Amino acid sequence: MQSDAQKDKATLKMFMMMMMIICLLDLSVAFDIIDHDILLTRLSSWFGIHGSVLICFKSYLLSRTFCVKCNDFFSSLHISLYDVPQCSVLGPLLFIMYTTPPSTLISSLSLYHHLYADDTQLFLSFHLSDFQASITHLQNALEVSDACSQLF
């Protein structure tokens, strides 16, 4: 029988053979490229938001205008079609809801991930003997994610 010290050494050796890759993705200007129509569709189809609640979201998103100030001059008002407000309580939540399909895709590619607003972390844990296969898996997953991002 093995002693506790021998079991601990065996466990430590096993963990020493494990590796983890963390891939950090920063989606620059991500809040500025959210298509309102797609977001509203996802709120309805993915999250079951309908009726007056969906109408409130629609009003919140589609009634937004902006102008640009340069020195003392202002541009004319423009309707905002592709953004959610970053400095609001709803902005990050709506962004996460918008990115649910890509999140589902990442999970289907056997990668662990963590999303917070426009920052994404991908995790891949593997045994040292599987190093090359794991790197190839991560590269392929990133390529699939990139290709599918056009669909989302």
Side-chain angles (χ1 to χ4, degrees), residues 3-92:
S3 70
D4 286 340
Q6 288 173 324
K7 289 178 185 176
D8 290 343
K9 283 183 181 179
T11 302
L12 182 60
K13 282 184 180 179
M14 182 182 75
F15 281 119
M16 289 175 60
M17 301 298 289
M18 296 297 292
M19 297 190 75
M20 179 175 280
I21 295 175
I22 300 174
C23 185
L24 304 173
L25 306 173
D26 181 32
L27 307 173
S28 61
V29 301
F31 282 84
D32 299 330
I33 59 170
I34 293 179
D35 184 297
H36 294 161
D37 291 330
I38 293 172
L39 175 58
L40 291 167
T41 299
R42 288 188 184 155
L43 290 175
S44 177
S45 63
W46 283 76
F47 299 100
I49 296 173
H50 302 286
S52 60
V53 176
L54 188 62
I55 291 169
C56 286
F57 276 112
K58 188 174 185 177
S59 173
Y60 175 73
L61 292 169
L62 301 181
S63 300
R64 298 175 39 78
T65 59
F66 70 95
C67 68
V68 177
K69 179 183 178 187
C70 183
N71 295 324
D72 291 331
F73 300 98
F74 289 89
S75 70
S76 58
L77 286 178
H78 297 279
I79 296 173
S80 179
L81 300 174
Y82 298 98
D83 75 334
V84 294
Q86 294 183 45
C87 299
S88 68
V89 173
L90 282 178

Side-chain angles (χ1 to χ4, degrees), residues 19-22 111 124 126-128 130-143:
M19 297 190 75
M20 179 175 280
I21 295 175
I22 300 174
L111 293 174
L124 182 62
F126 55 91
H127 196 271
L128 184 58
D130 297 327
F131 180 80
Q132 191 56 51
S134 297
I135 295 296
T136 301
H137 173 72
L138 179 61
Q139 289 172 328
N140 291 340
L142 289 171
E143 288 175 10

Side-chain angles (χ1 to χ4, degrees), residues 73-150:
F73 300 98
F74 289 89
S75 70
S76 58
L77 286 178
H78 297 279
I79 296 173
S80 179
L81 300 174
Y82 298 98
D83 75 334
V84 294
Q86 294 183 45
C87 299
S88 68
V89 173
L90 282 178
L93 179 62
L94 290 172
F95 182 81
I96 289 169
M97 294 171 95
Y98 184 81
T99 58
T100 296
S103 179
T104 304
L105 171 68
I106 291 169
S107 293
S108 75
L109 297 171
S110 301
L111 293 174
Y112 296 105
H113 66 286
H114 175 74
L115 300 172
Y116 180 74
D118 58 347
D119 293 317
T120 302
Q121 300 169 355
L122 305 177
F123 302 90
L124 182 62
S125 180
F126 55 91
H127 196 271
L128 184 58
S129 62
D130 297 327
F131 180 80
Q132 191 56 51
S134 297
I135 295 296
T136 301
H137 173 72
L138 179 61
Q139 289 172 328
N140 291 340
L142 289 171
E143 288 175 10
V144 168
S145 295
D146 185 48
C148 290
S149 69
Q150 303 306 315

